[in-house]
Amino acid sequence: MNIAFNINRLALIGLGVTLNSLLENCSNPKKLTIYILCAGLNWEDKNNINILLLRYGITNAVFIDFNAKEHFGNFNSLHGDYTCYGLLLLADYILAESVLYLDADLVIELDVLAVEFFDFQNKAIAAVNAGEIQFTLENKFFCNDLGLKPNLSCFNSGILLLNLKMWREKEIKYECLNFATTHPNKLTGDQTILNALFAGNFAYLPSQFNVAWYAHKNRPLKEPAILHFVGSPKPWDLFGSYFHGGFLVWKNYLDPEWKKAYYKKNYNDLLRAWHIRRSYVKSFILKIKS
């Protein structure tokens, strides 16, 4: 089974926990082939990833370097970064029929091999149903500008099973890029593009494969799930141990060597904290109210 990540160096602290939880709870890690799209990772980063994977018997990781700004610099960035659009390139780099794409802000308590032979039902994407597009942040763009029906089902793009065979046959990457080029200032990341094109037209993954965990909330589901730390702050952000209800669950999968390499604060962490300062305030207020 193919697993893909798309990361820059800022995502490495989250990636370590995501990988550890993925492999620890997989019934047969050796059946997994790991692909990592790398935006700015260095040799030491890749070596650290290989050392982590080797503990689970995985020696076939594939690192794919790409320049996110070169590919997507005309689109809206996320705090000056374009890495999130990288998953649109997966069908070019992974010449298999399907891949499970995962963000690097997860704790994976499930056996991902449960969807190894998933039936796409002739759909290009499989995802967890996240409700109707009329309730998304981009609802005016989707419904008013694009004319999409407000009751169409949408999805979070942090966990996606992609039908790569169909992506290549129907040249879906170019469809995505053309859409983004037409609406560059409306994008809040790859999720805007994919929902604009596939809302109401995707196969459904089991709901426990993407369970949102917001910073001010307690654990959202008792049963094993893929816990997704959506929004900000993340458990590993500055003061995350105070602001995020999932910090202890996340820390449980933090490898000591990975912690030594990446769980240390620097200028970039301070810069990120400044960018998400409103999220800290909002999280604090909501935590008090709850």
Side-chain angles (χ1 to χ4, degrees):
M1 182 177 179
N2 302 301
I3 306 290
F5 295 93
N6 170 45
I7 62 167
N8 56 19
R9 296 204 77 243
L10 288 175
L12 283 167
I13 179 58
L15 178 69
V17 166
T18 302
L19 282 173
N20 267 326
S21 59
L22 164 72
L23 299 170
E24 191 168 315
N25 293 303
C26 180
S27 58
N28 188 355
K30 292 183 180 180
K31 292 188 71 174
L32 304 180
T33 300
I34 308 292
Y35 294 86
I36 301 180
L37 268 68
C38 309
L41 269 62
N42 58 37
W43 177 89
E44 185 177 2
D45 297 327
K46 296 173 186 177
N47 188 55
N48 288 336
I49 293 171
N50 277 328
I51 291 171
L52 188 156
L53 295 176
L54 192 58
R55 295 181 194 136
Y56 298 92
I58 296 179
T59 59
N60 57 346
V62 180
F63 295 95
I64 303 161
D65 293 300
F66 79 107
N67 186 320
K69 188 172 183 178
E70 183 178 298
H71 281 282
F72 310 111
N74 293 328
F75 306 161
N76 267 356
S77 68
L78 185 63
H79 304 315
D81 185 71
Y82 302 90
T83 306
C84 63
Y85 298 105
L87 73 85
L88 302 178
L89 306 175
L90 289 175
D92 290 343
Y93 292 126
I94 303 175
L95 303 180
E97 292 198 356
S98 65
V99 67
L100 179 63
Y101 168 78
L102 301 169
D103 271 355
D105 56 355
L106 313 172
V107 165
I108 302 171
E109 302 174 328
L110 298 172
D111 185 353
V112 295
L113 291 174
V115 294
E116 181 181 10
F117 302 107
F118 185 85
D119 181 4
F120 281 99
Q121 301 173 350
N122 203 33
K123 305 292 186 183
I125 285 177
V128 171
N129 182 2
E132 299 177 351
I133 60 170
Q134 63 182 311
F135 301 116
T136 63
L137 293 175
E138 307 100 322
N139 65 84
K140 291 182 180 179
F141 173 55
F142 289 147
C143 301
N144 297 344
D145 296 359
L146 300 181
L148 298 180
K149 295 180 180 179
N151 63 343
L152 289 177
S153 298
C154 64
F155 52 88
N156 175 284
S157 65
I159 296 100
L160 296 174
L161 194 60
L162 300 179
N163 185 343
L164 298 178
K165 184 172 182 289
M166 180 177 287
W167 273 64
R168 287 188 289 270
E169 289 175 350
K170 296 196 173 183
E171 299 187 331
I172 291 172
K173 181 191 78 170
Y174 297 104
E175 187 178 357
C176 292
L177 295 178
N178 288 338
F179 177 87
T181 301
T182 305
H183 307 281
N185 298 320
K186 297 291 186 177
L187 308 179
T188 56
D190 58 285
Q191 185 166 290
T192 308
I193 302 170
L194 295 173
N195 272 292
L197 297 178
F198 296 107
N201 187 30
F202 61 97
Y204 289 179
L205 289 175
S207 60
Q208 64 268 33
F209 265 70
N210 194 345
V211 176
W213 194 340
Y214 295 92
H216 66 283
K217 294 283 191 178
N218 293 322
R219 184 184 172 102
L221 188 71
K222 292 182 179 179
E223 293 75 18
I226 298 182
L227 300 168
H228 189 181
F229 302 118
V230 296
S232 299
K234 306 290 188 186
W236 56 87
D237 279 324
L238 282 174
F239 311 115
S241 59
Y242 300 102
F243 279 92
H244 205 295
F247 175 78
L248 292 179
V249 174
W250 175 82
K251 186 181 178 183
N252 185 52
Y253 288 99
L254 182 59
D255 178 84
E257 292 303 314
W258 200 268
K259 178 180 179 180
K260 186 188 300 183
Y262 299 109
Y263 195 38
K264 47 190 178 184
K265 302 309 175 187
N266 54 37
Y267 172 76
N268 287 329
D269 295 292
L270 291 171
L271 186 62
R272 172 172 163 78
W274 173 253
H275 283 310
I276 65 172
R277 60 193 182 279
R278 292 187 179 88
S279 296
Y280 280 107
V281 175
K282 181 179 178 181
S283 177
F284 179 71
I285 293 172
L286 291 172
K287 205 173 187 70
I288 292 176
K289 288 183 177 180
S290 62

